[in-house]
Amino acid sequence: MKVPFLDLSVQYYELQKDIDTAMREASESGWYILGKRCENFEREFKAYLVREQEGYVVGCNSGTDALVLALRAAGIGPGDEVITVANTAIPTITAICSIGAVPVFCEIAEDTWLMDPDHILPLISSKTKAVLPVHLYGNVAQMTEIGRVAKEHGLKVIEDVAQACGARWDGHQAGTVGDFGAFSFYPSKNLGAMGDGGAVFCRSQKDYETLVMLRNYGQKDRYNASLAMGINSRLDEIQAAVLSVKLKYMDKWNKRKGEVVEKYRNLLQRTRAPLLLQEIYDAAEPAWHLMAVRLAAGAGLSRSEFIEFMDSRGIQVLIHYPYPAYRQAAFKEYFRSELPETRAHCESVVSFPLGHYLKDEAIEVVCSSTTESLCR
Ligand SMILES: *Cc1c(COP(=O)(O)O)cnc(C)c1O
């Protein structure tokens, strides 16, 4: 039995008629950028995230741009320090670096593998402007404590919610708890476009007006720029139309993925395979994007041997992510000191196949192959 990591065409075939219609109507409209489909989606997505009268959503071209736009709108610029984590996707860090700001790496908690709020304080300097936690794999960072430290020191909180669309913290949608939330609609994410897409959530009208200008060359009125730091980052009409169709199904897909993850976790715990599962804070309701586990110290073989074994069984296992950011050539200059938990995480983590369509039989095959491989 072959179990590929992810098959994105499943979502398309499930909604083919609606998606085809949405794309055709957008094509026929003759209006492809910043039109009513982008506006509609922004309105629908905002209504999904928060109550009426609360907050704003600005569509943009990617999750990376969502981070860049949020950082810029937060007033962050060259030399400013942003506290984040190193066990994340590259774009978290490149977004910070691309505006000349400096990523400062915070240790992760041993059990949740997310930003450890107890490690933030010693990293704060006179240059620190923001804290940027990442809701890795769809799990949610300790937002209450992160918010408390940030508030005490006058720092902005920018949530990298690229992997956790639909998750909640203390009943609130992830991405709406801090000052800004940066969403990605990269095809494999919980809400995936059929190309690139992203969005920023913000709380204040002032930030909203800034974001709207920043994503469109920095202009407020046509041909009359108000902000020099503007970029070109719009959510195009075809992607917006597709996202409006898919948004209606995301909760259903997220719920089903939650059941798949539950099943994985139960089976893996029962077999006593030498694996570590990601812990979840009491206030968090994850919306799983990835099913990641860590090989424990007692595992009989190395991670690459394990992945090879699974591959020989037709099961695709990937690594998210193998190297801490501070160990990558691009970010060498930001290295301050080794972070032991971060390093241990990056050296031992693997991701199993996950999709809302995954059958119990496939999950069982993945788990039994895992046990067979690790419990020899
Ligand atoms: C996917 C992702 C991004 C970037 O999103 P793009 O839409 O690919 O630009 C940023 N941060 C994290 C944690 C991600 O997983």
Side-chain angles (χ1 to χ4, degrees):
M1 179 180 196
K2 282 225 182 304
V3 191
F5 190 73
L6 179 63
D7 180 355
L8 282 172
S9 67
V10 176
Q11 285 189 358
Y12 172 61
Y13 286 120
E14 226 174 286
L15 306 176
Q16 186 169 18
K17 232 179 98 215
D18 289 357
I19 290 176
D20 286 352
T21 304
M23 284 182 147
R24 184 171 42 76
E25 286 175 357
S27 304
E28 287 168 354
S29 75
W31 191 285
Y32 304 118
I33 290 286
L34 295 181
K36 71 170 198 243
R37 286 172 179 82
C38 176
E39 268 172 37
N40 279 347
F41 173 72
E42 288 173 340
R43 189 168 357 94
E44 290 162 4
F45 192 50
K46 190 194 100 63
Y48 172 82
L49 291 176
V50 286
R51 284 190 296 264
E52 231 171 302
Q53 322 292 349
E54 235 182 282
Y56 301 84
V57 164
V58 179
C60 64
N61 186 251
S62 68
T64 308
D65 281 353
L67 287 163
V68 168
L69 293 166
L71 286 159
R72 285 196 173 157
I76 293 160
D80 291 338
E81 293 180 0
V82 178
I83 296 173
T84 188
V85 288
N87 64 334
T88 181
I90 286 169
T92 310
I93 314 305
T94 44
I96 297 169
C97 297
S98 72
I99 60 163
V102 175
V104 174
F105 297 109
C106 179
E107 182 62 298
I108 55 169
E110 181 190 2
D111 48 357
T112 61
W113 315 339
L114 301 167
M115 177 180 277
D116 187 342
D118 293 340
H119 280 78
I120 297 174
L121 195 58
L123 301 174
I124 297 176
S125 77
S126 59
K127 291 182 179 165
T128 311
K129 291 286 164 61
V131 187
L132 199 157
V134 179
H135 303 316
L136 199 66
Y137 310 137
N139 201 351
V140 190
Q142 217 319 338
M143 290 308 293
T144 308
E145 287 180 34
I146 291 169
R148 188 176 304 137
V149 184
K151 195 165 177 203
E152 270 167 22
H153 294 85
L155 310 176
K156 299 278 186 194
V157 177
I158 300 170
E159 296 175 71
D160 183 340
V161 67
Q163 301 197 354
C165 191
R168 285 170 182 273
W169 179 261
D170 203 14
H172 302 283
Q173 283 285 335
T176 71
V177 183
D179 298 290
F180 296 90
F183 291 85
S184 165
F185 307 128
Y186 180 83
S188 70
K189 300 288 164 73
N190 289 349
L191 181 59
M194 294 176 75
D196 275 315
V200 186
F201 173 86
C202 69
R203 320 201 67 84
S204 79
Q205 187 172 353
K206 188 173 151 289
D207 289 337
Y208 169 73
E209 285 166 7
T210 304
L211 288 164
V212 166
M213 288 189 269
L214 284 176
R215 75 163 169 190
N216 192 29
Y217 316 135
Q219 65 182 10
K220 186 169 183 190
D221 312 313
R222 253 189 174 186
Y223 313 136
N224 189 4
S226 308
L227 296 172
M229 298 295 278
I231 55 175
N232 169 356
S233 183
R234 283 101 45 146
L235 179 64
D236 72 69
E237 290 291 286
I238 291 183
Q239 298 309 331
V242 170
L243 290 167
S244 284
V245 174
K246 287 195 176 185
L247 179 59
K248 297 193 207 83
Y249 296 86
M250 185 185 67
D251 276 345
K252 195 178 95 183
W253 289 334
N254 278 351
K255 183 162 174 282
R256 175 60 197 147
K257 278 193 286 182
E259 290 162 7
V260 170
V261 167
E262 258 326 286
K263 170 128 186 150
Y264 264 128
R265 292 170 74 103
N266 286 336
L267 284 176
L268 293 170
Q269 250 159 354
R270 208 176 311 147
T271 60
R272 293 174 201 276
L275 292 172
L276 304 172
L277 301 177
Q278 188 179 21
E279 296 290 324
I280 300 160
Y281 292 109
D282 287 341
E285 289 170 56
W288 296 110
H289 161 60
L290 292 168
M291 169 61 206
V293 301
R294 277 167 61 175
L295 303 193
L301 68 182
S302 74
R303 176 167 65 177
S304 53
E305 288 167 335
F306 172 67
I307 292 173
E308 239 170 75
F309 178 90
M310 297 298 272
D311 191 56
S312 73
R313 294 296 167 93
I315 299 162
Q316 206 180 0
V317 174
L318 301 180
I319 302 175
H320 299 96
Y321 297 94
Y323 313 110
Y326 55 76
R327 286 286 173 207
Q328 299 174 30
F331 312 123
K332 259 200 326 246
E333 65 183 286
Y334 307 114
F335 176 81
R336 288 188 181 178
S337 64
E338 185 60 75
L339 304 172
E341 293 301 339
T342 300
R343 179 182 178 161
H345 176 257
C346 292
E347 284 178 350
S348 61
V349 75
V350 293
S351 315
F352 290 141
L354 177 62
H356 71 278
Y357 54 82
L358 219 60
K359 300 266 187 299
D360 281 359
E361 196 192 352
I363 305 166
E364 282 155 17
V365 167
V366 175
C367 293
S368 62
S369 303
T370 300
T371 330
E372 189 189 338
S373 154
L374 295 178
C375 306
R376 295 194 259 203

